[in-house]
PDB file of all heavy atoms in Angstrom:
ATOM      1  N   SER A 161     -42.473 -35.149 129.853  1.00  0.00           N
ATOM      2  CA  SER A 161     -43.462 -34.734 128.856  1.00  0.00           C
ATOM      3  C   SER A 161     -43.964 -33.327 129.182  1.00  0.00           C
ATOM      4  O   SER A 161     -44.074 -32.471 128.297  1.00  0.00           O
ATOM      5  CB  SER A 161     -44.638 -35.706 128.821  1.00  0.00           C
ATOM      6  OG  SER A 161     -44.232 -36.991 128.425  1.00  0.00           O
ATOM      7  N   LEU A 162     -44.273 -33.096 130.465  1.00  0.00           N
ATOM      8  CA  LEU A 162     -44.699 -31.767 130.894  1.00  0.00           C
ATOM      9  C   LEU A 162     -43.618 -30.722 130.649  1.00  0.00           C
ATOM     10  O   LEU A 162     -43.907 -29.606 130.196  1.00  0.00           O
ATOM     11  CB  LEU A 162     -45.060 -31.791 132.379  1.00  0.00           C
ATOM     12  CG  LEU A 162     -46.500 -32.118 132.765  1.00  0.00           C
ATOM     13  CD1 LEU A 162     -46.632 -32.238 134.272  1.00  0.00           C
ATOM     14  CD2 LEU A 162     -47.452 -31.058 132.241  1.00  0.00           C
ATOM     15  N   ILE A 163     -42.375 -31.087 130.948  1.00  0.00           N
ATOM     16  CA  ILE A 163     -41.262 -30.146 130.758  1.00  0.00           C
ATOM     17  C   ILE A 163     -41.114 -29.798 129.285  1.00  0.00           C
ATOM     18  O   ILE A 163     -41.005 -28.618 128.907  1.00  0.00           O
ATOM     19  CB  ILE A 163     -39.939 -30.749 131.292  1.00  0.00           C
ATOM     20  CG1 ILE A 163     -40.043 -31.041 132.796  1.00  0.00           C
ATOM     21  CG2 ILE A 163     -38.779 -29.810 131.013  1.00  0.00           C
ATOM     22  CD1 ILE A 163     -40.273 -29.836 133.649  1.00  0.00           C
ATOM     23  N   ILE A 164     -41.121 -30.810 128.420  1.00  0.00           N
ATOM     24  CA  ILE A 164     -40.934 -30.587 126.981  1.00  0.00           C
ATOM     25  C   ILE A 164     -42.038 -29.703 126.416  1.00  0.00           C
ATOM     26  O   ILE A 164     -41.783 -28.756 125.659  1.00  0.00           O
ATOM     27  CB  ILE A 164     -40.877 -31.937 126.231  1.00  0.00           C
ATOM     28  CG1 ILE A 164     -39.589 -32.679 126.589  1.00  0.00           C
ATOM     29  CG2 ILE A 164     -40.965 -31.725 124.721  1.00  0.00           C
ATOM     30  CD1 ILE A 164     -39.552 -34.116 126.112  1.00  0.00           C
ATOM     31  N   VAL A 165     -43.288 -30.004 126.789  1.00  0.00           N
ATOM     32  CA  VAL A 165     -44.415 -29.213 126.272  1.00  0.00           C
ATOM     33  C   VAL A 165     -44.347 -27.780 126.800  1.00  0.00           C
ATOM     34  O   VAL A 165     -44.635 -26.831 126.063  1.00  0.00           O
ATOM     35  CB  VAL A 165     -45.749 -29.881 126.654  1.00  0.00           C
ATOM     36  CG1 VAL A 165     -46.924 -29.012 126.210  1.00  0.00           C
ATOM     37  CG2 VAL A 165     -45.848 -31.264 126.018  1.00  0.00           C
ATOM     38  N   THR A 166     -43.956 -27.601 128.051  1.00  0.00           N
ATOM     39  CA  THR A 166     -43.824 -26.256 128.610  1.00  0.00           C
ATOM     40  C   THR A 166     -42.763 -25.452 127.874  1.00  0.00           C
ATOM     41  O   THR A 166     -42.982 -24.275 127.548  1.00  0.00           O
ATOM     42  CB  THR A 166     -43.464 -26.335 130.110  1.00  0.00           C
ATOM     43  OG1 THR A 166     -44.473 -27.056 130.811  1.00  0.00           O
ATOM     44  CG2 THR A 166     -43.341 -24.942 130.713  1.00  0.00           C
ATOM     45  N   ILE A 167     -41.624 -26.081 127.597  1.00  0.00           N
ATOM     46  CA  ILE A 167     -40.544 -25.390 126.868  1.00  0.00           C
ATOM     47  C   ILE A 167     -41.011 -25.042 125.462  1.00  0.00           C
ATOM     48  O   ILE A 167     -40.802 -23.919 124.979  1.00  0.00           O
ATOM     49  CB  ILE A 167     -39.272 -26.271 126.812  1.00  0.00           C
ATOM     50  CG1 ILE A 167     -38.810 -26.658 128.226  1.00  0.00           C
ATOM     51  CG2 ILE A 167     -38.155 -25.538 126.084  1.00  0.00           C
ATOM     52  CD1 ILE A 167     -38.614 -25.511 129.162  1.00  0.00           C
ATOM     53  N   TRP A 168     -41.652 -25.996 124.796  1.00  0.00           N
ATOM     54  CA  TRP A 168     -42.146 -25.759 123.430  1.00  0.00           C
ATOM     55  C   TRP A 168     -43.156 -24.616 123.406  1.00  0.00           C
ATOM     56  O   TRP A 168     -43.180 -23.813 122.468  1.00  0.00           O
ATOM     57  CB  TRP A 168     -42.777 -27.042 122.894  1.00  0.00           C
ATOM     58  CG  TRP A 168     -43.290 -26.934 121.496  1.00  0.00           C
ATOM     59  CD1 TRP A 168     -42.584 -27.084 120.335  1.00  0.00           C
ATOM     60  CD2 TRP A 168     -44.636 -26.642 121.107  1.00  0.00           C
ATOM     61  NE1 TRP A 168     -43.424 -26.906 119.261  1.00  0.00           N
ATOM     62  CE2 TRP A 168     -44.673 -26.635 119.704  1.00  0.00           C
ATOM     63  CE3 TRP A 168     -45.812 -26.403 121.823  1.00  0.00           C
ATOM     64  CZ2 TRP A 168     -45.846 -26.387 118.992  1.00  0.00           C
ATOM     65  CZ3 TRP A 168     -46.983 -26.142 121.115  1.00  0.00           C
ATOM     66  CH2 TRP A 168     -46.990 -26.149 119.721  1.00  0.00           C
ATOM     67  N   HIS A 169     -43.980 -24.547 124.442  1.00  0.00           N
ATOM     68  CA  HIS A 169     -45.041 -23.540 124.471  1.00  0.00           C
ATOM     69  C   HIS A 169     -44.522 -22.143 124.810  1.00  0.00           C
ATOM     70  O   HIS A 169     -44.963 -21.155 124.216  1.00  0.00           O
ATOM     71  CB  HIS A 169     -46.099 -23.961 125.489  1.00  0.00           C
ATOM     72  CG  HIS A 169     -47.191 -22.955 125.684  1.00  0.00           C
ATOM     73  ND1 HIS A 169     -47.295 -22.161 126.811  1.00  0.00           N
ATOM     74  CD2 HIS A 169     -48.227 -22.593 124.885  1.00  0.00           C
ATOM     75  CE1 HIS A 169     -48.337 -21.371 126.691  1.00  0.00           C
ATOM     76  NE2 HIS A 169     -48.924 -21.613 125.545  1.00  0.00           N
ATOM     77  N   SER A 170     -43.583 -22.024 125.751  1.00  0.00           N
ATOM     78  CA  SER A 170     -43.237 -20.718 126.320  1.00  0.00           C
ATOM     79  C   SER A 170     -41.862 -20.183 125.937  1.00  0.00           C
ATOM     80  O   SER A 170     -41.573 -19.014 126.208  1.00  0.00           O
ATOM     81  CB  SER A 170     -43.333 -20.776 127.854  1.00  0.00           C
ATOM     82  OG  SER A 170     -44.627 -21.156 128.262  1.00  0.00           O
ATOM     83  N   ALA A 171     -40.996 -21.001 125.349  1.00  0.00           N
ATOM     84  CA  ALA A 171     -39.629 -20.545 125.041  1.00  0.00           C
ATOM     85  C   ALA A 171     -39.627 -19.344 124.101  1.00  0.00           C
ATOM     86  O   ALA A 171     -38.774 -18.454 124.214  1.00  0.00           O
ATOM     87  CB  ALA A 171     -38.821 -21.687 124.435  1.00  0.00           C
ATOM     88  N   GLY A 172     -40.597 -19.280 123.180  1.00  0.00           N
ATOM     89  CA  GLY A 172     -40.658 -18.164 122.242  1.00  0.00           C
ATOM     90  C   GLY A 172     -40.905 -16.833 122.925  1.00  0.00           C
ATOM     91  O   GLY A 172     -40.384 -15.798 122.501  1.00  0.00           O
ATOM     92  N   TYR A 173     -41.678 -16.839 123.994  1.00  0.00           N
ATOM     93  CA  TYR A 173     -41.944 -15.605 124.739  1.00  0.00           C
ATOM     94  C   TYR A 173     -40.679 -15.106 125.430  1.00  0.00           C
ATOM     95  O   TYR A 173     -40.369 -13.912 125.397  1.00  0.00           O
ATOM     96  CB  TYR A 173     -43.050 -15.864 125.757  1.00  0.00           C
ATOM     97  CG  TYR A 173     -43.449 -14.650 126.551  1.00  0.00           C
ATOM     98  CD1 TYR A 173     -44.166 -13.613 125.975  1.00  0.00           C
ATOM     99  CD2 TYR A 173     -43.106 -14.540 127.896  1.00  0.00           C
ATOM    100  CE1 TYR A 173     -44.529 -12.499 126.707  1.00  0.00           C
ATOM    101  CE2 TYR A 173     -43.472 -13.428 128.638  1.00  0.00           C
ATOM    102  CZ  TYR A 173     -44.179 -12.411 128.036  1.00  0.00           C
ATOM    103  OH  TYR A 173     -44.541 -11.298 128.760  1.00  0.00           O
ATOM    104  N   PHE A 174     -39.945 -16.024 126.039  1.00  0.00           N
ATOM    105  CA  PHE A 174     -38.687 -15.663 126.681  1.00  0.00           C
ATOM    106  C   PHE A 174     -37.667 -15.203 125.641  1.00  0.00           C
ATOM    107  O   PHE A 174     -36.867 -14.314 125.906  1.00  0.00           O
ATOM    108  CB  PHE A 174     -38.147 -16.850 127.477  1.00  0.00           C
ATOM    109  CG  PHE A 174     -38.927 -17.132 128.724  1.00  0.00           C
ATOM    110  CD1 PHE A 174     -40.166 -17.752 128.674  1.00  0.00           C
ATOM    111  CD2 PHE A 174     -38.444 -16.765 129.968  1.00  0.00           C
ATOM    112  CE1 PHE A 174     -40.899 -17.998 129.821  1.00  0.00           C
ATOM    113  CE2 PHE A 174     -39.161 -17.008 131.128  1.00  0.00           C
ATOM    114  CZ  PHE A 174     -40.394 -17.622 131.052  1.00  0.00           C
ATOM    115  N   MET A 175     -37.713 -15.813 124.461  1.00  0.00           N
ATOM    116  CA  MET A 175     -36.827 -15.424 123.364  1.00  0.00           C
ATOM    117  C   MET A 175     -37.046 -13.960 122.980  1.00  0.00           C
ATOM    118  O   MET A 175     -36.086 -13.216 122.751  1.00  0.00           O
ATOM    119  CB  MET A 175     -37.096 -16.321 122.155  1.00  0.00           C
ATOM    120  CG  MET A 175     -36.359 -15.934 120.895  1.00  0.00           C
ATOM    121  SD  MET A 175     -37.154 -16.609 119.413  1.00  0.00           S
ATOM    122  CE  MET A 175     -38.628 -15.589 119.302  1.00  0.00           C
ATOM    123  N   VAL A 176     -38.307 -13.541 122.913  1.00  0.00           N
ATOM    124  CA  VAL A 176     -38.622 -12.163 122.528  1.00  0.00           C
ATOM    125  C   VAL A 176     -38.041 -11.171 123.524  1.00  0.00           C
ATOM    126  O   VAL A 176     -37.487 -10.128 123.140  1.00  0.00           O
ATOM    127  CB  VAL A 176     -40.153 -11.988 122.404  1.00  0.00           C
ATOM    128  CG1 VAL A 176     -40.518 -10.520 122.258  1.00  0.00           C
ATOM    129  CG2 VAL A 176     -40.684 -12.786 121.217  1.00  0.00           C
ATOM    130  N   ILE A 177     -38.140 -11.470 124.814  1.00  0.00           N
ATOM    131  CA  ILE A 177     -37.598 -10.575 125.845  1.00  0.00           C
ATOM    132  C   ILE A 177     -36.080 -10.497 125.749  1.00  0.00           C
ATOM    133  O   ILE A 177     -35.485  -9.415 125.809  1.00  0.00           O
ATOM    134  CB  ILE A 177     -38.035 -11.048 127.246  1.00  0.00           C
ATOM    135  CG1 ILE A 177     -39.555 -10.968 127.377  1.00  0.00           C
ATOM    136  CG2 ILE A 177     -37.357 -10.217 128.339  1.00  0.00           C
ATOM    137  CD1 ILE A 177     -40.106 -11.519 128.662  1.00  0.00           C
ATOM    138  N   TYR A 178     -35.429 -11.656 125.583  1.00  0.00           N
ATOM    139  CA  TYR A 178     -33.975 -11.658 125.433  1.00  0.00           C
ATOM    140  C   TYR A 178     -33.551 -10.966 124.138  1.00  0.00           C
ATOM    141  O   TYR A 178     -32.520 -10.283 124.103  1.00  0.00           O
ATOM    142  CB  TYR A 178     -33.442 -13.092 125.457  1.00  0.00           C
ATOM    143  CG  TYR A 178     -33.259 -13.659 126.844  1.00  0.00           C
ATOM    144  CD1 TYR A 178     -33.861 -14.852 127.220  1.00  0.00           C
ATOM    145  CD2 TYR A 178     -32.479 -13.002 127.786  1.00  0.00           C
ATOM    146  CE1 TYR A 178     -33.694 -15.371 128.499  1.00  0.00           C
ATOM    147  CE2 TYR A 178     -32.304 -13.519 129.061  1.00  0.00           C
ATOM    148  CZ  TYR A 178     -32.917 -14.703 129.407  1.00  0.00           C
ATOM    149  OH  TYR A 178     -32.746 -15.207 130.671  1.00  0.00           O
ATOM    150  N   LEU A 179     -34.334 -11.151 123.100  1.00  0.00           N
ATOM    151  CA  LEU A 179     -34.003 -10.531 121.818  1.00  0.00           C
ATOM    152  C   LEU A 179     -34.057  -9.011 121.911  1.00  0.00           C
ATOM    153  O   LEU A 179     -33.186  -8.311 121.367  1.00  0.00           O
ATOM    154  CB  LEU A 179     -34.980 -11.031 120.746  1.00  0.00           C
ATOM    155  CG  LEU A 179     -34.634 -10.757 119.282  1.00  0.00           C
ATOM    156  CD1 LEU A 179     -33.288 -11.357 118.920  1.00  0.00           C
ATOM    157  CD2 LEU A 179     -35.723 -11.328 118.384  1.00  0.00           C
ATOM    158  N   ALA A 180     -35.058  -8.495 122.607  1.00  0.00           N
ATOM    159  CA  ALA A 180     -35.149  -7.047 122.808  1.00  0.00           C
ATOM    160  C   ALA A 180     -33.947  -6.525 123.589  1.00  0.00           C
ATOM    161  O   ALA A 180     -33.412  -5.447 123.293  1.00  0.00           O
ATOM    162  CB  ALA A 180     -36.445  -6.709 123.530  1.00  0.00           C
TER     163      ALA A 180
END
Side-chain angles (χ1 to χ4, degrees):
S161 297
L162 270 174
I163 299 298
I164 291 169
V165 176
T166 301
I167 303 306
W168 181 84
H169 176 254
S170 302
Y173 182 72
F174 288 76
M175 174 201 72
V176 170
I177 297 175
Y178 278 125
L179 193 58

